[in-house]
């Protein structure tokens, strides 16, 4: 199978801005997939459109096992026809006409669930959803401008801030923010665990005090019962002795 692409937007000499946008998107998508525990992975695999043709988006999101299978193919790694593709992303530059035309139709006919065009010239992101494989059209289309956030329901509500994506916020920045978030979560978790442990200890101490009070009460009741029986035995003995001595019983 010969892998081809409608335009040369993935040539080795593409601009740094293009690369930074792709890296930023990969970082955002990977973080969302990890946070939400989704069974997907962000890849650079191609998407097979027909027996003899494949497109190579800037990014592809598919099931983890399908990505592993595609990477093991003897030919250029692709997600084969019939294998679900959750998301395909194209960063539009010189290929804008193809991104909005031929490739959009090809992805729709292929059944790619969501197709995203990051348009550097128009400074926006366009999201297509609900592909019609017969007509080659997407039923849903929405454009997000700078300052807005793309929300991808197919990825559990993953949010992509348009301004940051277009600015190419680099993966290291996201990783640093992610590290700070994880450290804050860890500190909060440890504080919550410490509070829970303190509450557990307080509960144990309260239970111990209650048990001690219960035992003390039982012991007091036992002593009172012993004293009552001793008193009854003494009275019985006194009554017996008076009877032996011929004394009248006490009134």
């Amino acid at each position: 199978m010969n892998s081809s692409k409608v335009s040369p937007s993935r040539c080795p000499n593409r601009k740094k801005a293009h690369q930074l946008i792709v890296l930023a998107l990969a970082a955002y998508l990977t973080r969302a997939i990890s946070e939400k525990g989704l069974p997907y992975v962000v890849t650079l695999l191609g998407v097979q459109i027909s027996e003899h043709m494949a497109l190579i988006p800037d990014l592809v999101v598919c099931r983890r096992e399908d990505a592993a299978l595609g990477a093991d193919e003897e030919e250029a790694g692709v997600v084969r026809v019939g294998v679900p593709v959750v998301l395909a992303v194209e960063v539009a530059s010189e290929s804008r006409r193809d991104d909005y035309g031929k490739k959009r139709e090809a992805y729709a006919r292929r059944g790619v669930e969501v197709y995203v065009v990051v348009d550097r010239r128009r400074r926006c992101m366009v999201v297509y959803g609900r592909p019609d494989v017969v007509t080659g059209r997407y039923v849903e289309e929405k454009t997000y401008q700078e300052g807005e956030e793309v929300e991808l329901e197919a990825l559990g509500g993953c949010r992509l801030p348009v301004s940051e994506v277009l600015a190419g916020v680099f993966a290291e920045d996201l990783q640093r923010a992610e590290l700070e978030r994880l450290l804050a979560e860890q500190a909060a978790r440890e504080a919550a665990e410490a509070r829970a442990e303190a509450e557990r200890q307080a509960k144990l101490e309260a239970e111990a005090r209650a048990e001690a009070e219960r035992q003390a009460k039982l012991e007091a009741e036992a002593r009172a019962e012993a004293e009552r029986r001793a008193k009854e035995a003494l009275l019985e003995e006194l009554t017996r002795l008076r009877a032996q001595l011929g004394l009248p019983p006490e009134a």
Side-chain angles (χ1 to χ4, degrees):
M1 178 183 68
N2 296 322
S3 296
S4 61
K5 191 173 182 180
V6 177
S7 72
S9 64
R10 284 184 57 80
C11 66
N13 297 322
R14 57 186 180 171
K15 296 179 181 179
K16 183 178 180 180
H18 186 112
Q19 294 175 315
L20 291 178
I21 289 174
V22 172
L23 288 171
L25 279 168
Y28 276 112
L29 294 170
T30 300
R31 181 174 67 176
I33 289 170
S34 176
E35 284 180 346
K36 299 176 186 303
L38 301 174
Y40 304 132
V41 65
V42 182
T43 79
L44 298 177
L45 292 173
V47 177
Q48 186 182 17
I49 302 301
S50 64
E51 184 180 355
H52 301 291
M53 180 181 178
L55 298 182
I56 306 176
D58 287 296
L59 289 174
V60 170
V61 175
C62 61
R63 295 180 305 198
R64 194 174 302 276
E65 61 269 25
D66 294 333
L69 179 63
D72 288 339
E73 295 288 350
E74 293 181 1
E75 301 181 51
V78 296
V79 182
R80 295 286 185 176
V81 170
V83 177
V85 174
V86 179
L87 178 74
V89 179
E90 294 283 1
V91 179
S93 51
E94 298 84 357
S95 63
R96 290 178 72 255
R97 179 177 298 179
D98 291 333
D99 293 327
Y100 287 110
K102 295 178 182 179
K103 285 189 280 189
R104 180 179 62 183
E105 179 181 350
Y107 290 135
R109 291 188 183 280
R110 171 63 169 74
V112 174
E113 187 173 348
V114 179
Y115 172 47
V116 177
V117 177
V118 181
D119 197 320
R120 292 166 51 198
R121 186 181 302 176
R122 293 171 54 201
R123 308 301 297 172
C124 67
M125 292 175 64
V126 185
V127 179
Y128 299 95
R130 294 180 57 193
D132 186 328
V133 298
V134 176
T135 64
R137 296 178 179 274
Y138 281 94
V139 176
E140 296 177 352
E141 174 184 345
K142 186 172 182 180
T143 300
Y144 296 84
Q145 306 294 338
E146 289 187 286
E148 298 180 328
E149 282 189 329
V150 175
E151 184 172 358
L152 300 175
E153 294 298 333
L155 293 180
C158 165
R159 291 184 170 277
L160 303 175
V162 178
S163 299
E164 281 80 351
V165 170
L166 289 170
V169 174
F170 200 53
E172 283 83 350
D173 297 325
L174 294 175
Q175 291 170 353
R176 188 179 304 110
E178 178 70 1
L179 177 60
E180 293 174 355
R181 183 187 68 80
L182 290 174
L183 289 174
E185 286 184 357
Q186 181 179 1
R189 183 168 55 252
E190 290 175 351
E193 290 173 351
R195 287 194 300 271
E197 178 62 19
E199 292 174 357
R200 189 181 71 84
Q201 290 296 333
K203 182 178 179 181
L204 290 175
E205 291 173 3
E207 292 174 347
R209 287 195 298 271
E211 178 62 18
E213 292 172 358
R214 189 181 71 84
Q215 289 295 333
K217 182 179 179 181
L218 291 175
E219 291 173 2
E221 291 174 349
R223 285 196 300 271
E225 178 64 15
E227 291 172 358
R228 185 185 67 79
R229 290 181 179 179
K231 184 177 180 181
E232 288 179 350
L234 179 59
L235 290 175
E236 289 176 358
E237 182 63 18
L238 288 173
T239 300
R240 186 182 64 79
L241 290 174
R242 291 178 72 86
Q244 286 180 353
L245 296 173
L247 297 175
E250 288 185 340

